[in-house]
Short mmCIF file of all heavy atoms in Angstrom, two decimals:
data_model
loop_
_atom_site.label_atom_id
_atom_site.label_comp_id
_atom_site.label_asym_id
_atom_site.label_seq_id
_atom_site.Cartn_x
_atom_site.Cartn_y
_atom_site.Cartn_z
N ASP L 1578 59.06 69.13 190.75
CA ASP L 1578 59.33 69.84 192.00
C ASP L 1578 58.69 71.23 191.98
O ASP L 1578 58.92 72.02 191.07
CB ASP L 1578 60.84 69.95 192.17
CG ASP L 1578 61.27 70.51 193.51
OD1 ASP L 1578 60.40 70.87 194.31
OD2 ASP L 1578 62.49 70.57 193.74
N MET L 1579 57.90 71.53 193.02
CA MET L 1579 57.27 72.84 193.14
C MET L 1579 57.99 73.74 194.14
O MET L 1579 57.51 74.84 194.44
CB MET L 1579 55.80 72.68 193.59
CG MET L 1579 54.92 71.96 192.60
SD MET L 1579 53.22 71.68 193.24
CE MET L 1579 52.61 73.37 193.34
N GLY L 1580 59.14 73.31 194.63
CA GLY L 1580 59.78 74.02 195.73
C GLY L 1580 61.01 74.82 195.38
O GLY L 1580 61.78 75.19 196.26
N VAL L 1581 61.23 75.12 194.09
CA VAL L 1581 62.38 75.92 193.68
C VAL L 1581 61.85 77.14 192.93
O VAL L 1581 61.17 77.01 191.91
CB VAL L 1581 63.34 75.13 192.77
CG1 VAL L 1581 64.56 75.98 192.40
CG2 VAL L 1581 63.79 73.85 193.47
N ALA L 1582 62.16 78.32 193.45
CA ALA L 1582 61.55 79.55 192.92
C ALA L 1582 61.85 79.76 191.44
O ALA L 1582 61.00 80.25 190.69
CB ALA L 1582 62.03 80.74 193.73
N SER L 1583 63.04 79.39 191.01
CA SER L 1583 63.43 79.64 189.62
C SER L 1583 63.00 78.53 188.66
O SER L 1583 63.28 78.60 187.46
CB SER L 1583 64.94 79.81 189.53
OG SER L 1583 65.61 78.64 190.01
N HIS L 1584 62.32 77.51 189.18
CA HIS L 1584 61.94 76.36 188.37
C HIS L 1584 60.42 76.26 188.27
O HIS L 1584 59.73 76.24 189.29
CB HIS L 1584 62.51 75.07 188.96
CG HIS L 1584 62.00 73.81 188.32
ND1 HIS L 1584 62.37 73.43 187.05
CD2 HIS L 1584 61.13 72.86 188.77
CE1 HIS L 1584 61.77 72.29 186.74
NE2 HIS L 1584 61.01 71.93 187.77
N LYS L 1585 59.90 76.18 187.06
CA LYS L 1585 58.47 75.98 186.85
C LYS L 1585 58.23 74.53 186.46
O LYS L 1585 58.63 74.09 185.39
CB LYS L 1585 57.95 76.90 185.75
CG LYS L 1585 56.43 76.78 185.54
CD LYS L 1585 55.94 77.74 184.48
CE LYS L 1585 54.43 77.59 184.29
NZ LYS L 1585 53.92 78.52 183.24
N PRO L 1586 57.60 73.75 187.34
CA PRO L 1586 57.40 72.33 187.01
C PRO L 1586 56.43 72.15 185.85
O PRO L 1586 55.42 72.86 185.77
CB PRO L 1586 56.82 71.75 188.31
CG PRO L 1586 56.20 72.91 189.01
CD PRO L 1586 57.04 74.10 188.65
N PRO L 1587 56.72 71.22 184.94
CA PRO L 1587 55.79 70.96 183.83
C PRO L 1587 54.56 70.21 184.33
O PRO L 1587 54.59 69.58 185.39
CB PRO L 1587 56.63 70.09 182.89
CG PRO L 1587 57.57 69.37 183.80
CD PRO L 1587 57.90 70.33 184.90
N SER L 1588 53.49 70.28 183.56
CA SER L 1588 52.28 69.54 183.92
C SER L 1588 52.47 68.05 183.68
O SER L 1588 51.78 67.22 184.27
CB SER L 1588 51.08 70.06 183.13
OG SER L 1588 51.32 69.97 181.73
N GLU L 1589 53.39 67.69 182.78
CA GLU L 1589 53.71 66.29 182.51
C GLU L 1589 55.15 66.21 182.03
O GLU L 1589 55.76 67.22 181.67
CB GLU L 1589 52.76 65.70 181.48
CG GLU L 1589 52.75 66.43 180.15
CD GLU L 1589 51.74 65.84 179.18
OE1 GLU L 1589 50.75 65.24 179.62
OE2 GLU L 1589 51.97 65.99 177.96
N LEU L 1590 55.71 64.99 182.01
CA LEU L 1590 57.10 64.84 181.59
C LEU L 1590 57.25 65.15 180.10
O LEU L 1590 56.41 64.75 179.29
CB LEU L 1590 57.59 63.40 181.85
CG LEU L 1590 57.74 62.95 183.30
CD1 LEU L 1590 58.52 61.65 183.36
CD2 LEU L 1590 58.42 64.01 184.15
N PRO L 1591 58.33 65.83 179.73
CA PRO L 1591 58.59 66.12 178.32
C PRO L 1591 59.12 64.88 177.60
O PRO L 1591 60.32 64.62 177.60
CB PRO L 1591 59.63 67.24 178.38
CG PRO L 1591 60.34 67.01 179.68
CD PRO L 1591 59.33 66.43 180.62
N LEU L 1592 58.25 64.12 176.99
CA LEU L 1592 58.65 62.85 176.40
C LEU L 1592 59.63 63.03 175.24
O LEU L 1592 60.44 62.14 174.96
CB LEU L 1592 57.41 62.09 175.91
CG LEU L 1592 56.39 61.69 176.98
CD1 LEU L 1592 55.27 60.86 176.38
CD2 LEU L 1592 57.06 60.92 178.12
N ASP L 1593 59.57 64.18 174.57
CA ASP L 1593 60.45 64.38 173.41
C ASP L 1593 61.92 64.46 173.81
O ASP L 1593 62.81 64.16 173.01
CB ASP L 1593 60.04 65.65 172.64
CG ASP L 1593 60.02 66.89 173.52
OD1 ASP L 1593 59.95 66.74 174.76
OD2 ASP L 1593 60.06 68.00 172.97
N SER L 1594 62.19 64.85 175.06
CA SER L 1594 63.58 64.95 175.50
C SER L 1594 63.92 63.96 176.61
O SER L 1594 65.04 63.97 177.12
CB SER L 1594 63.86 66.38 176.01
OG SER L 1594 63.03 66.70 177.11
N LEU L 1595 62.97 63.09 176.94
CA LEU L 1595 63.16 62.19 178.07
C LEU L 1595 64.40 61.31 177.92
O LEU L 1595 65.14 61.08 178.88
CB LEU L 1595 61.92 61.31 178.25
CG LEU L 1595 61.92 60.33 179.43
CD1 LEU L 1595 62.06 61.08 180.74
CD2 LEU L 1595 60.66 59.49 179.43
N MET L 1596 64.63 60.80 176.73
CA MET L 1596 65.73 59.87 176.52
C MET L 1596 66.99 60.53 175.98
O MET L 1596 67.97 59.84 175.69
CB MET L 1596 65.28 58.75 175.56
CG MET L 1596 64.20 57.86 176.16
SD MET L 1596 64.74 57.05 177.68
CE MET L 1596 63.22 56.32 178.26
N THR L 1597 66.98 61.86 175.86
CA THR L 1597 68.14 62.54 175.29
C THR L 1597 68.80 63.52 176.27
O THR L 1597 69.94 63.93 176.03
CB THR L 1597 67.77 63.29 174.01
OG1 THR L 1597 66.73 64.24 174.31
CG2 THR L 1597 67.29 62.32 172.94
N THR L 1598 68.11 63.90 177.33
CA THR L 1598 68.73 64.79 178.32
C THR L 1598 69.97 64.11 178.90
O THR L 1598 69.90 62.96 179.33
CB THR L 1598 67.74 65.12 179.45
OG1 THR L 1598 66.59 65.75 178.91
CG2 THR L 1598 68.38 66.04 180.48
N PRO L 1599 71.10 64.78 178.91
CA PRO L 1599 72.34 64.10 179.30
C PRO L 1599 72.45 63.85 180.80
O PRO L 1599 71.92 64.59 181.62
CB PRO L 1599 73.42 65.08 178.85
CG PRO L 1599 72.75 66.42 178.88
CD PRO L 1599 71.34 66.18 178.48
N PHE L 1600 73.16 62.76 181.13
CA PHE L 1600 73.61 62.52 182.49
C PHE L 1600 74.88 63.35 182.71
O PHE L 1600 75.80 63.28 181.90
CB PHE L 1600 73.95 61.05 182.71
CG PHE L 1600 72.79 60.15 183.01
CD1 PHE L 1600 72.10 59.53 181.97
CD2 PHE L 1600 72.39 59.91 184.31
CE1 PHE L 1600 71.03 58.69 182.23
CE2 PHE L 1600 71.32 59.06 184.57
CZ PHE L 1600 70.64 58.45 183.55
N SER L 1601 74.91 64.10 183.79
CA SER L 1601 76.16 64.78 184.14
C SER L 1601 76.95 63.95 185.14
O SER L 1601 78.16 64.14 185.30
CB SER L 1601 75.86 66.16 184.74
OG SER L 1601 74.97 66.04 185.83
N ARG L 1602 76.27 63.03 185.79
CA ARG L 1602 76.92 62.05 186.67
C ARG L 1602 76.17 60.74 186.47
O ARG L 1602 74.96 60.67 186.68
CB ARG L 1602 76.83 62.51 188.13
CG ARG L 1602 77.40 61.53 189.17
CD ARG L 1602 78.93 61.41 189.06
NE ARG L 1602 79.46 60.45 190.02
CZ ARG L 1602 79.95 60.76 191.21
NH1 ARG L 1602 79.99 62.03 191.61
NH2 ARG L 1602 80.41 59.84 192.02
N ASP L 1603 76.87 59.71 186.05
CA ASP L 1603 76.23 58.46 185.69
C ASP L 1603 76.92 57.28 186.36
O ASP L 1603 77.89 56.73 185.86
CB ASP L 1603 76.24 58.27 184.16
CG ASP L 1603 75.50 57.02 183.71
OD1 ASP L 1603 74.90 56.34 184.57
OD2 ASP L 1603 75.53 56.72 182.50
N ASP L 1604 76.40 56.91 187.53
CA ASP L 1604 76.89 55.74 188.25
C ASP L 1604 75.91 54.58 188.12
O ASP L 1604 75.89 53.67 188.96
CB ASP L 1604 77.08 56.07 189.73
CG ASP L 1604 78.21 57.07 189.97
OD1 ASP L 1604 79.07 57.23 189.08
OD2 ASP L 1604 78.23 57.70 191.05
N THR L 1605 75.10 54.59 187.06
CA THR L 1605 74.07 53.55 186.91
C THR L 1605 74.68 52.17 186.73
O THR L 1605 74.10 51.17 187.18
CB THR L 1605 73.15 53.86 185.72
OG1 THR L 1605 73.94 54.05 184.52
CG2 THR L 1605 72.33 55.11 185.97
N GLY L 1606 75.84 52.08 186.10
CA GLY L 1606 76.46 50.77 185.90
C GLY L 1606 76.84 50.13 187.22
O GLY L 1606 76.58 48.93 187.45
N GLU L 1607 77.46 50.92 188.10
CA GLU L 1607 77.85 50.40 189.41
C GLU L 1607 76.63 50.05 190.25
O GLU L 1607 76.59 49.01 190.92
CB GLU L 1607 78.71 51.45 190.14
CG GLU L 1607 79.34 50.94 191.42
CD GLU L 1607 80.25 51.98 192.05
OE1 GLU L 1607 80.46 53.05 191.44
OE2 GLU L 1607 80.73 51.73 193.17
N LEU L 1608 75.60 50.89 190.18
CA LEU L 1608 74.37 50.62 190.93
C LEU L 1608 73.69 49.36 190.42
O LEU L 1608 73.20 48.54 191.20
CB LEU L 1608 73.43 51.82 190.80
CG LEU L 1608 72.09 51.73 191.53
CD1 LEU L 1608 72.29 51.54 193.03
CD2 LEU L 1608 71.25 52.97 191.25
#
Side-chain angles (χ1 to χ4, degrees):
D1578 187 357
M1579 296 176 67
V1581 182
S1583 59
H1584 171 71
K1585 183 178 180 180
S1588 58
E1589 58 183 26
L1590 292 193
L1592 298 184
D1593 56 340
S1594 61
L1595 182 60
M1596 294 301 171
T1597 58
T1598 301
F1600 278 89
S1601 54
R1602 177 69 182 264
D1603 183 5
D1604 292 341
T1605 55
E1607 188 176 354
L1608 180 60

